[in-house]
């Protein structure tokens, strides 16, 4: 029996946005364990550094970069820096997002625009810049972190966020179609409710009408964890999924089929 290396990312250069906390941190650590050199890009410079330090201390390769994904100049600079310092780009995970909640009739344009700016414009900007470099290089694999909320309302007061994630799904499919011939794969992971620092804050900020994800609606039972999402992201980033693109993979214990 020989070892199956299809799930390895040895010597791949991988950018993970929002890698300073929660799901992004889990993805960064999982990719590093699989052999990748990980660029941990986060608005919170200290958090990004903590993730990079944890990876380095465990024997992996990581670098922290402070970036606001909603800022065009910063995103352009991030990818130029990655190419300049590391010589290429193989994998991008668009994970950074915010998810404050507001009753629909209280949503003003400032609130609407703030979520669009990070979740959808940020994903667009990182996609555009990464694809520019991947197209000029050896192609690559991109994983967008969407949400089950892109497909179902799931919790109250989440309409603005849900619309951003539906947009992420659409960008996933359209870029997969356009850049498949360039050897660039684009897929999305749709997590169910996962305990993270951000999820706890968002849930505590508003009195939710009913439980998140609806109790009893998860066929596999229980709530998933960060590692469940990171494992799916690793599959989609790695050569194990080399013939897969444009797909939306729900990692939700079966919630969306219930
Ligand atoms: N946790 C869940 O239940 C859940 C469910 C479905 C989808 N998701 C998605 O998973 C992803 C990660 O969520 P999480 O729960 O780990 O969030 P989190 O809030 O715990 O972590 C998000 C990280 O992104 C960073 N970030 C925020 N805005 C940024 C910006 N403008 N530029 C760069 N970095 C920025 C934060 O500093 C933080 O480190 C998001 O895309 C989220 O929408 C989460």
């Amino acid at each position: 029996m020989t070892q199956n290396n299809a799930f390895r990312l040895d010597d791949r250069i991988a950018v993970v946005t929002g890698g300073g906390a929660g799901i992004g941190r889990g993805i960064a650590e999982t990719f590093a364990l699989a052999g990748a050199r990980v660029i941990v890009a986060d608005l919170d410079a200290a958090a990004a550094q903590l993730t990079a330090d944890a990876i380095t201390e465990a024997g992996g390769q990581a670098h922290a970069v402070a970036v606001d994904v909603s800022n065009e100049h910063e995103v352009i600079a991030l990818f130029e820096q990655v190419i300049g310092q590391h010589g290429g780009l193989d994998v991008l995970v668009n994970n950074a997002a915010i998810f404050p909640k507001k009753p629909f009739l209280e949503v003003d344009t400032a609130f609407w625009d703030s979520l669009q700016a990070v979740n959808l414009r940020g994903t667009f900007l990182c996609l555009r810049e990464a694809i520019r470099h991947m197209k000029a290089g050896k192609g690559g694999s991109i994983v967008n972190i969407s949400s089950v909320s892109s497909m179902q309302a799931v919790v109250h007061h989440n309409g603005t966020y849900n619309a951003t994630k539906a947009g992420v799904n659409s960008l996933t499919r359209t870029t997969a179609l356009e850049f498949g011939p360039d050897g660039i794969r684009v897929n999305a992971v749709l997590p169910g409710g996962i305990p993270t620092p951000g999820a706890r804050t968002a849930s505590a900020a508003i009195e939710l009408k009913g439980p998140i994800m609806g109790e009893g609606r998860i066929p596999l039972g229980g709530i998933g964890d960060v590692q469940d999402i990171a494992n799916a992201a690793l599959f989609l980033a790695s050569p194990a999924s080399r013939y897969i693109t444009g797909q939306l993979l729900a990692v939700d214990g079966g919630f969306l089929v219930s």
Side-chain angles (χ1 to χ4, degrees):
M1 286 261 286
T2 52
Q3 205 176 344
N4 179 1
N5 287 326
F7 294 86
R8 297 287 306 171
L9 291 175
D10 293 301
D11 302 321
R12 305 289 164 97
I13 311 297
V15 171
V16 181
T17 70
I23 289 170
R25 179 172 174 148
I27 291 171
E29 292 180 340
T30 298
F31 282 18
L33 264 179
R37 196 184 312 170
V38 183
I39 290 86
V40 183
D42 202 295
L43 182 65
D44 184 337
Q49 193 59 55
L50 281 175
T51 300
D53 289 347
I55 289 172
T56 309
E57 279 159 26
Q61 302 180 76
H63 303 270
V65 179
V67 66
D68 177 353
V69 296
S70 70
N71 183 306
E72 184 168 25
H73 299 297
E74 292 187 23
V75 170
I76 291 170
L78 164 69
F79 288 99
E80 281 178 354
Q81 184 185 335
V82 169
I83 299 296
Q85 288 183 356
H86 303 285
L89 173 67
D90 302 295
V91 173
L92 164 67
V93 180
N94 275 311
N95 165 79
I98 53 174
F99 31 89
K101 304 183 197 323
K102 232 183 223 287
F104 188 74
L105 294 180
E106 291 172 23
V107 172
D108 52 24
T109 52
F111 181 84
W112 176 269
D113 289 348
S114 66
L115 274 95
Q116 292 287 330
V118 178
N119 300 6
L120 191 52
R121 188 172 74 209
T123 298
F124 153 68
L125 290 171
C126 291
L127 276 170
R128 191 188 66 193
E129 294 312 304
I131 288 171
R132 233 192 260 293
H133 293 294
M134 286 174 173
K135 199 167 146 66
K138 298 173 295 188
S141 178
I142 299 175
V143 182
N144 295 326
I145 305 302
S146 178
S147 171
V148 290
S149 301
S150 64
M151 310 288 250
Q152 285 192 17
V154 186
V155 287
H156 285 272
H157 305 158
N158 222 17
T160 309
Y161 171 81
N162 295 355
T164 68
K165 292 297 187 178
V168 169
N169 293 354
S170 179
L171 280 176
T172 301
R173 293 200 198 90
T174 51
T175 50
L177 176 68
E178 188 166 348
F179 299 106
D182 297 302
I184 299 169
R185 300 187 297 108
V186 190
N187 292 288
V189 173
L190 281 56
I194 302 293
T196 63
R200 278 187 281 273
T201 307
S203 304
I206 193 157
E207 195 184 322
L208 294 171
K209 290 185 187 163
I212 296 183
M213 301 286 296
E215 263 164 34
R217 281 196 56 195
I218 301 176
L220 291 180
I223 295 290
D225 61 26
V226 164
Q227 194 63 54
D228 293 317
I229 309 305
N231 289 343
L234 175 61
F235 166 61
L236 291 174
S238 71
S241 60
R242 60 180 284 272
Y243 201 52
I244 298 175
T245 196
Q247 297 305 301
L248 311 177
L249 176 60
V251 182
D252 64 349
F255 173 75
L256 282 183
V257 295
S258 70

